[in-house]
Amino acid sequence: MTEPKIEEVLEHIWTHEEEFGKRASKDMLSQWIDPQAVDTVLQDMLRQKFVHMYNSLIVLTAMGRKEAEQVIRRHRLAERLLKDILEVKHDTMDSSACEFEHFLNDEVTTSICTLLGHPVRCPHGKLIPPGECCQRAKKILRPLVLSLLELTPGEEAKVAYITTEHHPRLDRLSSMGLLPGTVIRVHQKQPTLVIQMGETQLALDEDIARDIYVRRSH
Amino acid sequence: MLKKKSRPQKAGPHTPSIALVGNPNVGKSAIFNLLTGSYVIVSNYPGTTVEVSRGTCKGIDGRVEVIDTPGVNNLIPQSEDERVARDILLRGGGATPDKGHRRVVQVADAKNLRRALFLTSQLAEMGLPVVLDLNMWDECLERGISIDTGKLQSLLGIPVVRTVATEKQGIGHLLNALPQADVPSLKVDFGREIEEGISRIEPLIPNGYPRRAMALMLLSGDLTVAEKLGYSKTVQGEVSKIRNSIQRKFSDPLSYAINRIRAAYVERLFQETVYTAPKRMESHPFLRASFFFFFVPVFAFALGYKIMDMLLFFFQGYLSSAPPLGLILKLVSGMASCILFCLHLYRKDLRTKRTISEVLGDLTMHPVAAYPILITALWAIYKLVGVFGAGVCVDFMEKKVFGYAGTPSGGFDLWFPVPFAGKDVTLFHVPFNGINYYLGLLGQMLVSPQNLGYQLFLDGQAGLIQVGLTYAIAIVFPIVGFFFLAFGLMEDSGYLPRLAVMLDKLFKRIGLTGKAVLPMVLGLGCGTMATLTTRILDTRKERIIATLLMALAIPCSAQLGVIAFVMGSISGFYFALYVFIIASQLILVGFVASKILPGGRSDFIMEVPPFRCPKLYNILLKTAYRVKWFLREAVPLFLIGTFALFILSKTGALKYIELAGRPVVSNWLGLPPETAEGFILGFLRRDYGAVSLFKALERVHGSVGAEPAQLLVALVVITLFVPCLANFLVIIKERGIATAALIIGFIVPYAFLVGGVLNLIMKTF
């Protein structure tokens, strides 16, 4: 994995280009990181072929651009996660997201992206660079994690999580075997939702089904 | 109610006993019946066993007590039922000094082993010796599921037997395995945090209780356990401190986390022992072909034809159509339904290898197809109960078998119809003049017909035998019997739970859930019995609403029989009006009650059992059991009612009551004052009231019959009016005297209010 400091710089170069449409120059580096470390970081980046210098301008290589995009992606996904799911306050969100971007690995990033339904923009309204999972999802043109209610009859899915605030309901569903990981198939939606799990057919209220999130299997 | 459930065992503490435990609708009651030779109702509807039944069984090691428990999904209880089952197990596990005298037969649905093993792991924690009984083994085979029972046996360390309770297979094996019952060798590792919590709570559990199981219940937040253990405030505080400190380490509620870990543990066991073949058993090709190419088109045609027929019947007064138009309409509707059904089935189900019962199971809760099927099912029940039971059978029983004192019935012919020839062949004439006639002759030998003793028994208006017993046996018995037969058929085939799925949305509006279908439909048979079954509902509010609605707007089958008979004499339009008024009252009152009564609605989470071909023997047995119960309850009440009537009419008090009721009955409802008698009798038996009303109207108007509008008002009021005495007593027993008084206090004025308003409307138009 790339060093956090390098990631940080790559991120700044990338956002600078995004924001102003201009290449970043060498003297900007000192605003972003500890001025004493500027030289070593730049040397490292050049050695790893993330950037090359064009006079005093820093130009991202294809590899560097890809690396930067990954960092941005992790950062903005983290923001979404913190804001939408964990409901963290705005200022905490910014600082936490900066930490998240450095320790999320690819697999976790993909899971978060899937969980959030492959969001396009971060809470600040900026574009989130799409990952492989988003390309795949685009082909299917629908989010992978969705409420059980949104499935159509005959579709099969795996329970991802249950968000109900109602503890007895959670206990009851889980003792009947409806738990994260359980494979279910929607049998019918009208007049009442009926799902099939293993050899059990279960009729459910819509209120309950709304809180059950599933991952489509296809 | 609860006290009764947990009453001390009749047998001494040293009598060995077996508790039957398992998920809902796996056949515990069926196994219970086979083990004990006694009978408790077996039903294909989850959660029907609400009471604990006890019986004895001659095991191979002497007599054993057998206890049937309500179905549970989790022994860390979430409902009253589960608490009852858990308490029975705890008592056997070691609350009494002679630990381990109780063995457990865990009945499992073999095709749903995952959920069964979930319970097995909890039984292991409770330290109970268990035999695992994989019931419904045949359905398991049909679905291509194979279970390595040998491996399961060695993994669990307990005997595992296979049974098919409805076919009485494997019970011998079960009996033989009982002495080998052992504590399952399962131990779920709940992870560092929870295990730490368990070890901190365990020392606080008093001796004689299964420590690990109790600790897990406390961690899951089951407060009833703390009470049970007789914890003081300080100990309780300590427990909740431990619980909170563990809970902090989990984002999910602790009970949910525990369930998830347990489920994951069970999943591994399941994967090791169960193998599902992709190939499923199919229906026999001939059966399949005849189902798809003969039964479906013919039945669908009949469905469409019949529904149009009924529509025409309802409006026949206004639509005096020429015969060809009616016939064409019916044929068109039949063809349309035939084509629709066939298209639906041929498009999907013909090619897939599904069995007939699976196809039927889906059709009966299909968003569109289910409704015509429901209407036809209701029509078929009406034909069986209303026309055949209440018409033909009652007529024969009343006029020929019982007859009248004083007038000979003239006997009857034994005959059979010759098919296609349109002729009946009489075998011979039975010169039997009716039981009452012969009793009358016998009585007249001893005393004169004017003697009070003679009249007490054989008086034509209020004689105990002539009226009371004859009504009970001749009128009610055939109607109720046929209704219970039809109900048993719906119950065992799995149609009722599907009806619950269809009606859930409607029932939600009136404060109930689809689960209330069972008591409500049973209420069409006997409200008294149905009130007892409201126990399967989850909340107090739902039970009260269901009880109220049944007492108010659900006519019982005996009453329905009379109503159908009376309605048969007037036009279908009035019948449709009657159905509409009663149904609208049901919904209106239910809706208002659901808003007024405090408390919430429970979640509708219901298992839909597979559609099955019902076993005739089981249905007949169940019907016999229910009829027996009904006769035991009903006959004494009929006699009491008739006796009361006899006293009233002989002392002349009846006249005064009619006089007192006259303003209400004749001015407000517009009925002849004689009908007041019917309302009084209605309290003793609802149908009895309806009969007397009809008889009174007939007497007033002569043989031509009453005015349709008057009849309608009378029938609506008598339907809404108070439930019978037996039902009232059961309401008191189940809901308490205060609630019962409130229910009656509401129903009586309300019935008259609706009747009065209806009378005004009918007069104006």
Side-chain angles (χ1 to χ4, degrees):
Chain A
M1 223 169 155
T2 325
E3 222 180 298
K5 251 186 203 139
I6 297 182
E7 285 184 349
E8 195 79 9
V9 174
L10 285 172
E11 186 189 0
H12 276 112
I13 299 174
W14 196 89
T15 35
H16 182 82
E17 287 183 11
E18 182 196 32
E19 215 167 308
F20 305 103
K22 281 191 291 193
R23 302 243 190 272
S25 60
K26 194 182 168 189
D27 45 299
M28 288 174 180
L29 288 182
S30 54
Q31 298 166 24
W32 297 331
I33 49 169
D34 182 9
Q36 284 164 6
V38 165
D39 280 335
T40 40
V41 169
L42 193 59
Q43 285 309 314
D44 279 351
M45 277 167 43
L46 286 167
R47 203 183 58 241
Q48 292 183 44
K49 300 218 167 65
F50 285 145
V51 292
H52 52 93
M53 301 295 293
Y54 186 78
N55 295 335
S56 70
L57 294 179
I58 308 174
V59 182
L60 285 170
T61 62
M63 203 168 86
R65 183 166 299 280
K66 204 175 154 209
E67 191 68 29
E69 274 175 0
Q70 288 306 313
V71 181
I72 302 286
R73 176 172 153 76
R74 288 199 290 267
H75 181 97
R76 294 185 178 169
L77 278 174
E79 285 180 341
R80 275 246 86 97
L81 177 75
L82 290 163
K83 179 160 187 294
D84 298 353
I85 308 280
L86 306 178
E87 295 176 347
V88 170
K89 271 192 240 91
H90 212 76
D91 42 341
T92 335
M93 176 186 88
D94 284 336
S95 58
S96 311
C98 287
E99 284 164 35
F100 266 70
E101 71 189 33
H102 302 302
F103 65 73
L104 291 181
N105 64 25
D106 280 354
E107 201 189 331
V108 179
T109 312
T110 306
S111 310
I112 292 177
C113 187
T114 311
L115 170 83
L116 296 169
H118 308 286
V120 182
R121 282 175 193 281
C122 76
H124 303 93
K126 289 183 184 155
L127 283 171
I128 302 176
E132 262 174 55
C133 64
C134 308
Q135 312 287 3
R136 239 183 298 130
K138 220 170 242 164
K139 256 183 242 155
I140 321 162
L141 271 176
R142 45 190 189 185
L144 276 173
V145 171
L146 68 180
S147 160
L148 175 53
L149 267 191
E150 292 169 55
L151 292 180
T152 49
E155 266 189 293
E156 213 174 67
K158 205 182 236 182
V159 176
Y161 50 87
I162 305 171
T163 59
T164 179
E165 294 291 307
H166 199 59
H167 291 182
R169 194 180 276 176
L170 212 50
D171 288 343
R172 222 172 131 192
L173 288 172
S174 56
S175 359
M176 290 189 115
L178 193 73
L179 288 150
T182 311
V183 177
I184 56 173
R185 193 170 58 78
V186 176
H187 186 269
Q188 65 180 65
K189 289 180 82 176
Q190 290 299 335
T192 301
L193 179 76
V194 176
I195 58 170
Q196 178 95 41
M197 48 179 213
E199 290 300 326
T200 308
Q201 233 173 31
L202 213 59
L204 283 178
D205 269 339
E206 276 180 11
D207 303 346
I208 305 170
R210 190 168 294 122
D211 295 339
I212 301 173
Y213 284 82
V214 295
R215 195 188 302 269
R216 270 207 188 93
S217 46
H218 40 91
Chain B
M1 192 171 109
L2 212 83
K3 258 184 215 138
K4 195 175 149 203
K5 278 179 182 165
S6 52
R7 70 178 177 225
Q9 290 165 244
K10 254 184 272 162
H14 295 282
T15 322
S17 67
I18 305 168
L20 296 173
V21 182
N23 302 88
N25 217 30
V26 294
K28 289 177 294 300
S29 297
I31 296 277
F32 176 84
N33 290 343
L34 288 175
L35 284 178
T36 60
S38 59
Y39 187 75
V40 294
I41 295 248
V42 176
S43 167
N44 187 16
Y45 194 91
T48 3
T49 302
V50 280
E51 266 204 334
V52 176
S53 312
R54 285 154 201 270
T56 50
C57 155
K58 265 203 175 136
I60 48 172
D61 50 354
R63 290 172 70 81
V64 220
E65 191 191 26
V66 185
I67 305 165
D68 187 20
T69 65
V72 291
N73 283 317
N74 196 338
L75 286 168
I76 296 175
Q78 291 137 25
S79 68
E80 191 58 39
D81 281 353
E82 292 182 340
R83 208 156 288 137
V84 169
R86 194 248 350 238
D87 287 352
I88 288 172
L89 292 176
L90 278 183
R91 218 171 301 132
T96 41
D98 51 335
K99 188 180 158 105
H101 70 84
R102 178 162 293 171
R103 276 165 292 177
V104 172
V105 171
Q106 192 200 343
V107 185
D109 175 356
K111 60 187 188 297
N112 263 320
L113 192 64
R114 245 190 220 100
R115 292 172 57 191
L117 290 175
F118 192 91
L119 288 179
T120 315
S121 73
Q122 291 183 321
L123 290 171
E125 279 153 14
M126 289 182 145
L128 291 163
V130 180
V131 174
L132 180 61
D133 170 12
L134 303 176
N135 195 23
M136 305 196 210
W137 188 253
D138 51 340
E139 289 191 0
C140 186
L141 289 179
E142 266 170 35
R143 285 164 172 73
I145 300 167
S146 61
I147 301 173
D148 186 345
T149 41
K151 193 162 182 194
L152 191 61
Q153 200 154 301
S154 63
L155 281 175
L156 301 179
I158 57 171
V160 177
V161 291
R162 296 175 280 196
T163 58
V164 184
T166 48
E167 305 277 358
K168 302 186 182 159
Q169 285 172 13
I171 299 303
H173 292 293
L174 179 58
L175 281 173
N176 286 332
L178 277 175
Q180 274 94 52
D182 205 349
V183 181
S185 54
L186 297 178
K187 190 165 185 256
V188 187
D189 179 5
F190 286 99
R192 199 169 48 81
E193 285 92 354
I194 296 177
E195 286 294 343
E196 185 201 317
I198 294 172
S199 58
R200 275 166 70 191
I201 290 183
E202 270 179 340
L204 301 172
I205 310 283
N207 276 334
Y209 283 101
R211 290 217 158 82
R212 194 174 165 83
M214 298 307 265
L216 278 165
M217 286 175 208
L218 286 169
L219 277 179
S220 295
D222 182 8
L223 296 173
T224 56
V225 171
E227 275 168 40
K228 193 172 201 51
L229 296 173
Y231 275 170
S232 61
K233 277 268 177 318
T234 46
V235 185
Q236 273 194 36
E238 201 168 328
V239 168
S240 64
K241 218 169 74 193
I242 298 175
R243 195 182 116 73
N244 289 341
S245 70
I246 311 283
Q247 174 68 74
R248 227 168 288 139
K249 294 172 187 159
F250 288 86
S251 57
D252 287 331
L254 213 42
S255 54
Y256 180 56
I258 289 174
N259 282 351
R260 283 188 69 170
I261 296 168
R262 192 188 296 283
Y265 177 84
V266 163
E267 184 65 33
R268 281 196 296 278
L269 277 178
F270 180 83
Q271 296 298 350
E272 272 181 70
T273 48
V274 179
Y275 172 72
T276 310
K279 193 174 169 291
R280 300 182 138 217
M281 196 99 105
E282 296 161 26
S283 301
H284 190 273
F286 176 72
L287 267 179
R288 245 182 104 75
S290 51
F291 173 76
F292 278 110
F293 299 113
F294 178 74
F295 179 76
V296 167
V298 169
F299 183 75
F301 181 83
L303 210 68
Y305 187 90
K306 201 62 225 168
I307 284 174
M308 185 52 76
D309 193 25
M310 277 187 268
L311 278 177
L312 290 177
F313 170 71
F314 283 149
F315 301 106
Q316 71 194 62
Y318 297 88
L319 209 115
S320 53
S321 56
L325 177 63
L327 190 65
I328 289 168
L329 273 177
K330 282 189 263 185
L331 286 178
V332 167
S333 145
M335 287 307 289
S337 133
C338 179
I339 290 168
L340 283 178
F341 266 90
C342 290
L343 271 184
H344 174 73
L345 285 185
Y346 295 170
R347 204 162 44 87
K348 256 176 54 194
D349 296 314
L350 189 58
R351 264 168 290 155
T352 53
K353 310 247 167 203
R354 304 170 69 212
T355 58
I356 293 175
S357 59
E358 277 176 307
V359 173
L360 277 179
D362 285 359
L363 267 185
T364 44
M365 57 177 184
H366 186 272
V368 183
Y371 294 97
I373 293 178
L374 171 64
I375 292 173
T376 319
L378 287 178
W379 171 79
I381 292 171
Y382 167 74
K383 277 283 174 203
L384 177 71
V385 180
V387 177
F388 185 69
V392 180
C393 291
V394 166
D395 203 48
F396 177 72
M397 293 279 280
E398 191 187 7
K399 296 203 173 116
K400 302 296 178 186
V401 176
F402 280 86
Y404 306 95
T407 37
S409 70
F412 51 91
D413 293 337
L414 272 187
W415 54 274
F416 64 91
V418 181
F420 306 116
K423 260 201 295 193
D424 298 338
V425 172
T426 307
L427 281 183
F428 56 91
H429 185 79
V430 183
F432 183 74
N433 284 325
I435 297 170
N436 292 337
Y437 175 71
Y438 295 117
L439 282 177
L441 284 185
L442 190 71
Q444 280 173 20
M445 276 184 227
L446 305 171
V447 290
S448 84
Q450 271 68 46
N451 184 291
L452 199 66
Y454 177 88
Q455 292 201 343
L456 175 63
F457 290 103
L458 291 167
D459 181 59
Q461 254 188 12
L464 284 184
I465 293 175
Q466 174 67 68
V467 177
L469 203 64
T470 308
Y471 272 18
I473 310 284
I475 296 186
V476 176
F477 173 70
I479 300 175
V480 169
F482 279 112
F483 178 83
F484 285 152
L485 196 67
F487 186 77
L489 204 65
M490 292 206 293
E491 207 180 359
D492 280 16
S493 60
Y495 187 61
L496 273 187
R498 286 174 171 75
L499 205 55
V501 167
M502 283 166 59
L503 294 179
D504 179 54
K505 282 224 171 94
L506 174 72
F507 275 25
K508 250 187 235 169
R509 299 241 173 255
I510 57 175
L512 298 169
T513 66
K515 225 177 166 187
V517 156
L518 177 82
M520 295 296 244
V521 176
L522 188 56
L524 288 171
C526 171
T528 313
M529 193 183 265
T531 306
L532 284 171
T533 61
T534 51
R535 281 187 203 168
I536 67 164
L537 303 180
D538 292 324
T539 66
R540 198 179 119 79
K541 178 179 174 178
E542 286 170 341
R543 290 182 203 146
I544 292 178
I545 292 180
T547 309
L548 168 69
L549 293 181
M550 275 190 295
L552 179 76
I554 305 266
C556 68
S557 67
Q559 202 180 16
L560 268 179
V562 179
I563 289 167
F565 172 66
V566 173
M567 284 297 180
S569 65
I570 52 178
S571 84
F573 175 71
Y574 281 97
F575 187 63
L577 210 55
Y578 169 81
V579 172
F580 172 75
I581 293 167
I582 299 296
S584 62
Q585 290 314 310
L586 180 85
I587 292 168
L588 180 73
V589 172
F591 179 76
V592 173
S594 74
K595 296 279 175 233
I596 292 176
L597 290 175
R601 194 174 50 81
S602 64
D603 287 342
F604 179 61
I605 304 177
M606 188 167 139
E607 266 190 86
V608 185
F611 208 80
R612 298 184 172 122
C613 180
K615 296 271 178 310
L616 187 65
Y617 174 73
N618 187 21
I619 293 180
L620 289 179
L621 195 66
K622 184 151 59 176
T623 308
Y625 178 83
R626 284 187 170 136
V627 166
K628 206 172 97 191
W629 177 90
F630 181 82
L631 286 181
R632 215 174 41 225
E633 298 284 311
V635 174
L637 283 167
F638 264 82
L639 294 180
I640 292 171
T642 321
F643 186 64
L645 183 67
F646 180 75
I647 302 236
L648 287 177
S649 74
K650 287 298 159 197
T651 53
L654 203 58
K655 286 272 171 299
Y656 291 104
I657 292 173
E658 276 173 22
L659 218 60
R662 189 186 295 260
V664 177
V665 174
S666 55
N667 298 343
W668 176 240
L669 295 180
L671 296 174
E674 285 81 357
T675 49
E677 180 191 322
F679 291 112
I680 298 161
L681 290 179
F683 186 58
L684 295 162
R685 295 282 332 162
R686 288 177 121 181
D687 50 299
Y688 205 12
V691 170
S692 336
L693 258 177
F694 184 60
K695 290 266 155 76
L697 283 170
E698 238 180 13
R699 272 204 301 279
V700 174
H701 293 275
S703 56
V704 239
E707 243 182 275
Q710 268 193 354
L711 263 182
L712 182 68
V713 173
L715 289 181
V716 165
V717 177
I718 201 74
T719 306
L720 297 180
F721 198 56
V722 284
C724 70
L725 188 63
N727 194 351
F728 185 58
L729 292 177
V730 168
I731 294 176
I732 293 179
K733 187 178 140 222
E734 293 288 307
R735 300 287 96 82
I737 184 94
T739 314
L742 274 176
I743 288 179
I744 297 300
F746 166 75
I747 286 177
V748 175
Y750 190 75
F752 282 106
L753 177 75
V754 173
V757 171
L758 182 64
N759 177 38
L760 284 179
I761 294 173
M762 297 301 281
K763 262 191 196 149
T764 339
F765 295 102

